């Protein structure tokens, strides 16, 4: 058969949800009410919602069908058995602990394994991972390779951990003060960038040398596996499933948010091999999440995840998934908006510093860009810049974030190519009036995680 150029959505639409575009006056009113904070908008006020790829995807008819057969038994649910088999088959880990989402798995793992004053290395900790480590009084240390911090670098595995920096950290603090090493696949906070098998093997070798356990933050494991298939020498002939199994085989356990590559709207798990750690984790689970055969999930959620973990490794799906993200990045670049290169798996990151050089970091250029995408076209992204990461200085000013980005995260199997074309047009319209875009000042903010609730005022 002729191999056609167009990579299509490998599904047909079975059920739809209406979306409606507000008038520009309505969008302006919504922005004012929300204090120019996009977290304050109602979902119905957004036309294309790229705030997150977490829990926002569409489930398949097979997942919905499995949900109908959910077993809601408090103890010994059949749905748990299916869930456990799916996780064990994929990861090879023998102990499977369901949680209501990823951060609950993190909280339990770190409470059980990490002590105050210790250091946990990672390529880049996601916010909740960092917060859960800091909550137990330990230090979360980011050790991504240097290329991973440079938006324009096109290194194929920008999520890799700097193995020399890992060894230096172990030398500095001592192996006894490192309870575990983590690697986040893909590296969300660094632009959704993949980690190579070669790098995972090198990290594993260091962990073996010092007797340290290695855990994966596996939220986007399938996207990472397919990047490996496309980019890593010697991997083109392997299936995404084989590569995923190889990744997990290099680790002692993982935390997972099934809201990403579990293709579910809620759920997560902690999976590992050490029975003693698992026992302590289950005891804590009973206290905070629920009995070990449901851990904060309904039986039907576990059914949806069991099917989702299988579907997500379909290579037609993964090819379409990575291609549709790259397609949006190409549209943005063509419109003259610089992006973090190469595009990641789940999101496109627009470089607001590059687009809006006339707005200083203290006036939040990425917030200004995110607001403009909503104002012009009803598109919601999220600021990842000085609103999120700015640090107060003693003199009342702020140390800015290293990068000023707007993340456009793409929900799985939810929007079609014409939706993405529309977003491309909105980006272009915003780019064409870049000189007119002004900065913002914060009028109200919380003492931590201020980006969720801060209020802003446009500067004249
Ligand atoms: N780890 C990574 C790499 C993540 O991206 C997330 C969530 C989590 C852990 C926590 O999982 O939300 O199920 O508790 N990321 C979402 C995002 C929120 O928008 O990137 P959770």
């Amino acid at each position: 058969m002729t191999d056609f150029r167009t990579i299509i959505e490998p599904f047909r639409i079975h059920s739809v949800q209406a979306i409606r575009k507000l008038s520009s006056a309505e969008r302006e009113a919504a922005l004012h009410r929300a204090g120019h904070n996009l977290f304050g908008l109602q979902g119905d006020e957004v036309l294309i919602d790229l705030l997150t790829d977490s829990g926002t995807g569409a489930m398949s008819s097979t997942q919905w069908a499995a949900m109908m057969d959910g077993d809601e038994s408090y103890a010994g649910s059949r749905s748990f058995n299916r869930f456990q088999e799916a996780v064990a088959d994929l990861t090879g880990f023998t102990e499977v602990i369901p949680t209501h989402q990823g951060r609950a798995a993190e909280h339990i793992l770190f409470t059980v394994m990490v002590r105050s004053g210790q250091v946990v290395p990672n390529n880049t900790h996601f916010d909740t991972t960092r917060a859960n480590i800091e909550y137990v009084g330990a230090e979360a240390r980011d050790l991504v390779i240097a290329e991973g911090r440079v938006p324009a670098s096109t290194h194929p595995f920008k999520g890799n951990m700097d193995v020399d920096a890992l060894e230096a950290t172990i030398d500095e603090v001592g192996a006894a003060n490192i309870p575990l090493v983590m690697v986040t696949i893909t590296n969300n906070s660094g632009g959704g960038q993949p980690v190579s098998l070669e790098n995972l093997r090198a990290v594993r070798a260091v962990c073996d040398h010092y007797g340290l356990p290695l855990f994966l933050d596996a939220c986007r494991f399938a996207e990472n596996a397919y990047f490996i298939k496309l980019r890593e020498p010697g991997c083109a002939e392997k299936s995404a499933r084989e590569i995923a199994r190889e990744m997990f085989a290099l680790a002692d356990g993982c935390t997972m948010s099934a809201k990403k590559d579990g293709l579910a709207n809620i759920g997560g798990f902690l999976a590992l091999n050490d029975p003693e750690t698992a026992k302590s984790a289950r005891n804590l689970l009973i206290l905070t999440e629920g009995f070990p055969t449901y851990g904060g999930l309904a039986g039907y959620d576990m059914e949806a995840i069991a099917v989702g973990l299988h579907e997500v490794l379909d290579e037609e799906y993964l090819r379409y998934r990575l291609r549709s993200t790259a397609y949006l990045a190409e549209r943005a670049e063509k419109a003259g908006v610089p992006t973090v290169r190469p595009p990641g798996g789940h999101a496109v990151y627009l470089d607001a510093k590059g687009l809006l050089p006339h707005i200083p970091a203290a006036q939040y250029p990425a917030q200004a860009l995110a607001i403009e995408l909503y104002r012009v076209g009803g598109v919601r992204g999220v600021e990842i810049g000085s609103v999120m990461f700015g640090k107060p200085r003693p003199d009342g000013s702020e140390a800015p974030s290293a990068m000023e980005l707007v993340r456009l995260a793409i929900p799985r199997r939810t929007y079609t190519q014409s939706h993405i074309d529309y977003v491309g047009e909105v980006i272009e319209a915003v780019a064409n009036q870049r000189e007119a875009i002004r900065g913002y000042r914060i009028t109200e903010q919380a003492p931590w995680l201020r980006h969720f609730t801060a209020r802003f005022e446009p500067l004249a």
Side-chain angles (χ1 to χ4, degrees):
M1 210 172 88
T2 321
D3 222 358
F4 291 104
R5 243 187 77 249
T6 304
I7 295 175
I8 62 167
E9 289 88 0
F11 47 80
R12 58 185 177 189
I13 293 165
H14 180 63
S15 166
V16 300
Q17 213 166 28
I19 51 175
R20 185 178 77 91
K21 190 172 179 178
L22 302 189
S23 69
S24 73
E26 286 171 321
R27 288 199 301 278
E28 204 55 54
L31 276 175
H32 272 91
R33 191 205 65 234
H36 295 92
N37 185 333
L38 303 183
F39 282 102
L41 297 174
Q42 297 294 314
D44 285 343
E45 290 169 336
V46 178
L47 182 64
I48 308 283
D49 203 348
L50 307 182
L51 183 66
T52 178
D53 65 320
S54 181
T56 51
M59 289 203 294
S60 68
S61 53
T62 315
Q63 285 177 293
W64 284 110
M67 286 175 76
M68 284 304 291
D69 198 31
D71 174 1
E72 305 303 336
S73 301
Y74 189 97
S77 157
R78 179 179 65 226
S79 299
F80 172 73
N81 296 341
R82 289 193 186 130
F83 171 83
Q84 183 179 38
E85 271 164 38
V87 174
D89 178 58
L90 168 69
T91 64
F93 300 135
T94 48
E95 308 280 348
V96 178
I97 298 172
T99 59
H100 81 275
Q101 62 185 85
R103 66 197 70 182
E106 293 160 11
H107 179 68
I108 289 173
L109 178 69
F110 301 143
T111 304
V112 168
M113 287 190 71
V114 182
R115 295 287 156 265
S116 177
Q118 293 187 317
V119 176
V120 178
N122 199 328
N123 45 357
T124 313
H125 291 86
F126 180 67
D127 322 17
T128 59
T129 321
R130 167 175 296 280
N132 272 304
I133 288 169
E134 291 174 352
Y135 185 74
V136 297
E139 180 193 333
R141 199 175 286 191
D142 293 341
L143 301 177
V144 73
I145 56 169
E147 291 88 337
R149 300 180 206 269
V150 183
S153 155
T154 53
H155 190 289
F157 292 102
K158 276 174 91 169
N160 281 355
M161 181 176 269
D162 182 335
V163 179
D164 292 337
L166 174 62
E167 293 211 81
T169 299
I170 299 170
D171 279 348
E172 177 203 323
V173 305
N177 288 317
I178 299 187
L180 69 146
V181 174
M182 274 198 114
V183 177
T184 305
I185 54 172
T186 58
N187 189 26
N188 182 11
S189 307
Q193 302 293 336
V195 176
S196 68
L197 273 174
E198 185 190 24
N199 187 251
L200 283 176
R201 284 191 205 105
V203 172
R204 173 81 257 175
V206 173
C207 289
D208 282 343
H209 182 76
Y210 293 96
L212 301 177
L214 172 61
F215 276 73
L216 300 178
D217 176 341
C219 295
R220 299 176 180 86
F221 72 93
E223 291 168 12
N224 199 85
Y226 202 69
F227 273 124
I228 288 175
K229 183 180 169 90
L230 295 178
R231 294 181 186 171
E232 189 154 354
C235 293
E237 299 306 316
K238 295 181 192 174
S239 70
R241 186 175 305 276
E242 282 168 338
I243 295 169
R245 285 194 175 123
E246 236 177 288
M247 293 174 345
F248 285 113
L250 289 164
D252 300 289
C254 72
T255 55
M256 171 77 188
S257 168
K259 302 173 74 169
K260 285 84 168 174
D261 277 350
L263 298 180
N265 298 124
I266 194 71
F269 56 84
L270 168 63
L272 68 168
N273 285 329
D274 179 46
E276 282 309 308
T277 308
K279 198 166 150 188
S280 311
R282 284 199 184 92
N283 287 336
L284 188 57
L285 185 82
I286 292 177
L287 186 69
T288 58
E289 292 279 294
F291 192 74
T293 59
Y294 74 87
L297 294 173
Y300 55 68
D301 294 324
M302 294 188 285
E303 295 281 353
I305 296 166
V307 177
L309 288 175
H310 181 78
E311 285 182 353
V312 77
L313 286 164
D314 178 290
E315 295 193 6
E316 284 302 307
Y317 161 74
L318 285 168
R319 195 161 83 110
Y320 137 82
R321 171 75 177 156
L322 298 193
R323 178 62 201 135
S324 53
T325 307
Y327 180 78
L328 177 57
E330 285 162 19
R331 293 289 309 236
E333 293 274 349
K334 221 168 95 194
V337 180
T339 64
V340 173
R341 305 295 303 160
H346 68 297
V348 173
Y349 295 70
L350 308 179
D351 179 1
K353 210 189 264 185
L355 182 72
L356 306 171
H358 60 284
I359 304 181
Q363 300 178 8
Y364 310 117
Q367 182 67 12
L369 177 57
I371 290 169
E372 221 47 36
L373 292 170
Y374 177 74
R375 178 178 279 131
V376 167
V379 174
R380 174 159 69 173
V382 64
E383 193 260 12
I384 302 190
S386 292
V387 176
M388 201 178 265
F389 296 126
K391 292 251 164 26
R393 293 190 184 108
D395 68 357
S397 69
E398 263 177 35
S401 160
M403 293 194 258
E404 302 290 345
L405 305 175
V406 175
R407 184 184 79 168
L408 303 177
I410 307 182
R412 293 170 181 76
R413 306 190 292 202
T414 302
Y415 293 117
T416 64
Q417 185 173 345
S418 62
H419 290 121
I420 299 299
D421 280 330
Y422 171 85
V423 175
E425 281 181 49
V426 172
I427 293 172
E428 193 177 342
V430 168
N432 286 343
Q433 41 135 50
R434 69 189 77 178
E435 285 88 9
I437 301 175
R438 293 284 166 270
Y440 284 78
R441 72 178 193 91
I442 293 181
T443 58
E444 231 184 274
Q445 58 181 304
W448 51 79
L449 296 174
R450 66 177 180 180
H451 53 284
F452 289 120
T453 52
R455 294 181 72 83
F456 300 85
E457 207 172 70
L459 291 160

